[in-house]
Amino acid sequence: MNAHDTSQPHVVLAGDPGGAARFVAAMNARDPQAFGHVYEDDAVLVPVPGHPVTGAGRLAANQHLQSFGLPIEARPRHVYVAGDIALLIVDWSMRGTAGDGSEIDMSGTATDVVRRGPDGRWRYVIDNPHGTASLPET
């Protein structure tokens, strides 16, 4: 905020300005085109800590998750809103038997940034599903 901005950020401890709920709906619909509506054009996804992707890489990472054929569950823990920007802290999980027979047990706490567009819809600017997870060992 600058010195002329008298608006105060507000904290919402329950609820979702739309980002997490719309992402879950897109993921569970198993429609790759649905992701076009939940991300800004130049949004960043961090599918593996330390490895951000955009564009086609972002789409491929989300399609990989969809390929398991399992629903994702998400529960917003905190939502902090300042004007048209929000920080989402979201607990999520994906568990079950994938289509290829492998057992999937993934979960995390995401730290995501969303922005409300001129149309009133919230879209991801940064989608970081692993939050503060450490970088993988190399």
mmCIF file of all heavy atoms in Angstrom, residues 68 70 94-98 100 102-106:
data_model
loop_
_atom_site.group_PDB
_atom_site.id
_atom_site.type_symbol
_atom_site.label_atom_id
_atom_site.label_comp_id
_atom_site.label_asym_id
_atom_site.label_seq_id
_atom_site.Cartn_x
_atom_site.Cartn_y
_atom_site.Cartn_z
ATOM 1 N N PHE A 68 -4.402 -38.949 -12.899
ATOM 2 C CA PHE A 68 -4.602 -39.949 -11.855
ATOM 3 C C PHE A 68 -6.066 -40.347 -11.746
ATOM 4 O O PHE A 68 -6.391 -41.419 -11.244
ATOM 5 C CB PHE A 68 -4.116 -39.437 -10.495
ATOM 6 C CG PHE A 68 -2.632 -39.201 -10.431
ATOM 7 C CD1 PHE A 68 -2.133 -38.031 -9.893
ATOM 8 C CD2 PHE A 68 -1.724 -40.144 -10.900
ATOM 9 C CE1 PHE A 68 -0.779 -37.797 -9.813
ATOM 10 C CE2 PHE A 68 -0.358 -39.918 -10.828
ATOM 11 C CZ PHE A 68 0.116 -38.738 -10.289
ATOM 12 N N LEU A 70 -8.317 -39.010 -9.850
ATOM 13 C CA LEU A 70 -8.769 -38.922 -8.466
ATOM 14 C C LEU A 70 -9.211 -37.499 -8.144
ATOM 15 O O LEU A 70 -8.630 -36.538 -8.646
ATOM 16 C CB LEU A 70 -7.639 -39.307 -7.505
ATOM 17 C CG LEU A 70 -7.138 -40.737 -7.624
ATOM 18 C CD1 LEU A 70 -5.873 -40.925 -6.788
ATOM 19 C CD2 LEU A 70 -8.223 -41.701 -7.169
ATOM 20 N N MET A 94 -5.001 -35.482 -2.207
ATOM 21 C CA MET A 94 -5.463 -36.350 -3.295
ATOM 22 C C MET A 94 -5.043 -37.759 -2.894
ATOM 23 O O MET A 94 -3.854 -38.047 -2.779
ATOM 24 C CB MET A 94 -4.828 -35.950 -4.627
ATOM 25 C CG MET A 94 -5.267 -36.835 -5.790
ATOM 26 S SD MET A 94 -4.436 -36.436 -7.352
ATOM 27 C CE MET A 94 -5.349 -34.998 -7.863
ATOM 28 N N ARG A 95 -6.049 -38.592 -2.660
ATOM 29 C CA ARG A 95 -5.755 -39.950 -2.181
ATOM 30 C C ARG A 95 -6.659 -40.960 -2.886
ATOM 31 O O ARG A 95 -7.811 -40.678 -3.172
ATOM 32 C CB ARG A 95 -5.998 -40.042 -0.680
ATOM 33 C CG ARG A 95 -5.041 -39.217 0.130
ATOM 34 C CD ARG A 95 -5.250 -39.409 1.634
ATOM 35 N NE ARG A 95 -4.183 -38.759 2.376
ATOM 36 C CZ ARG A 95 -4.254 -37.524 2.854
ATOM 37 N NH1 ARG A 95 -5.340 -36.809 2.695
ATOM 38 N NH2 ARG A 95 -3.232 -37.014 3.517
ATOM 39 N N GLY A 96 -6.093 -42.135 -3.127
ATOM 40 C CA GLY A 96 -6.884 -43.209 -3.707
ATOM 41 C C GLY A 96 -6.057 -44.037 -4.667
ATOM 42 O O GLY A 96 -4.839 -43.923 -4.732
ATOM 43 N N THR A 97 -6.751 -44.867 -5.430
ATOM 44 C CA THR A 97 -6.108 -45.722 -6.424
ATOM 45 C C THR A 97 -6.281 -45.078 -7.793
ATOM 46 O O THR A 97 -7.417 -44.857 -8.239
ATOM 47 C CB THR A 97 -6.733 -47.136 -6.413
ATOM 48 O OG1 THR A 97 -6.637 -47.661 -5.082
ATOM 49 C CG2 THR A 97 -6.022 -48.051 -7.389
ATOM 50 N N ALA A 98 -5.172 -44.781 -8.432
ATOM 51 C CA ALA A 98 -5.195 -44.158 -9.758
ATOM 52 C C ALA A 98 -5.659 -45.166 -10.798
ATOM 53 O O ALA A 98 -5.706 -46.382 -10.544
ATOM 54 C CB ALA A 98 -3.802 -43.632 -10.108
ATOM 55 N N ASP A 100 -4.157 -46.402 -13.210
ATOM 56 C CA ASP A 100 -3.161 -47.424 -13.544
ATOM 57 C C ASP A 100 -2.924 -48.408 -12.395
ATOM 58 O O ASP A 100 -2.055 -49.265 -12.476
ATOM 59 C CB ASP A 100 -1.835 -46.771 -13.950
ATOM 60 C CG ASP A 100 -1.153 -46.025 -12.808
ATOM 61 O OD1 ASP A 100 -1.684 -46.000 -11.669
ATOM 62 O OD2 ASP A 100 -0.069 -45.449 -13.054
ATOM 63 N N SER A 102 -1.908 -47.660 -9.309
ATOM 64 C CA SER A 102 -0.977 -47.184 -8.281
ATOM 65 C C SER A 102 -1.738 -46.437 -7.183
ATOM 66 O O SER A 102 -2.759 -45.799 -7.438
ATOM 67 C CB SER A 102 0.095 -46.280 -8.905
ATOM 68 O OG SER A 102 -0.493 -45.132 -9.483
ATOM 69 N N GLU A 103 -1.210 -46.552 -5.976
ATOM 70 C CA GLU A 103 -1.802 -45.848 -4.840
ATOM 71 C C GLU A 103 -1.239 -44.433 -4.784
ATOM 72 O O GLU A 103 -0.020 -44.242 -4.854
ATOM 73 C CB GLU A 103 -1.513 -46.583 -3.527
ATOM 74 C CG GLU A 103 -2.293 -47.868 -3.381
ATOM 75 C CD GLU A 103 -3.808 -47.648 -3.372
ATOM 76 O OE1 GLU A 103 -4.283 -46.727 -2.690
ATOM 77 O OE2 GLU A 103 -4.508 -48.412 -4.071
ATOM 78 N N ILE A 104 -2.128 -43.480 -4.666
ATOM 79 C CA ILE A 104 -1.738 -42.073 -4.598
ATOM 80 C C ILE A 104 -2.093 -41.550 -3.212
ATOM 81 O O ILE A 104 -3.217 -41.739 -2.727
ATOM 82 C CB ILE A 104 -2.487 -41.230 -5.660
ATOM 83 C CG1 ILE A 104 -2.237 -41.772 -7.067
ATOM 84 C CG2 ILE A 104 -2.135 -39.751 -5.539
ATOM 85 C CD1 ILE A 104 -0.812 -41.694 -7.542
ATOM 86 N N ASP A 105 -1.139 -40.902 -2.572
ATOM 87 C CA ASP A 105 -1.362 -40.262 -1.277
ATOM 88 C C ASP A 105 -0.534 -38.983 -1.265
ATOM 89 O O ASP A 105 0.627 -38.975 -0.880
ATOM 90 C CB ASP A 105 -0.954 -41.185 -0.128
ATOM 91 C CG ASP A 105 -1.311 -40.607 1.237
ATOM 92 O OD1 ASP A 105 -1.864 -39.476 1.295
ATOM 93 O OD2 ASP A 105 -1.034 -41.268 2.242
ATOM 94 N N MET A 106 -1.140 -37.910 -1.761
ATOM 95 C CA MET A 106 -0.464 -36.627 -1.854
ATOM 96 C C MET A 106 -1.250 -35.616 -1.039
ATOM 97 O O MET A 106 -2.484 -35.639 -1.037
ATOM 98 C CB MET A 106 -0.381 -36.156 -3.312
ATOM 99 C CG MET A 106 0.380 -37.100 -4.189
ATOM 100 S SD MET A 106 0.548 -36.657 -5.955
ATOM 101 C CE MET A 106 -0.399 -35.237 -6.221
#
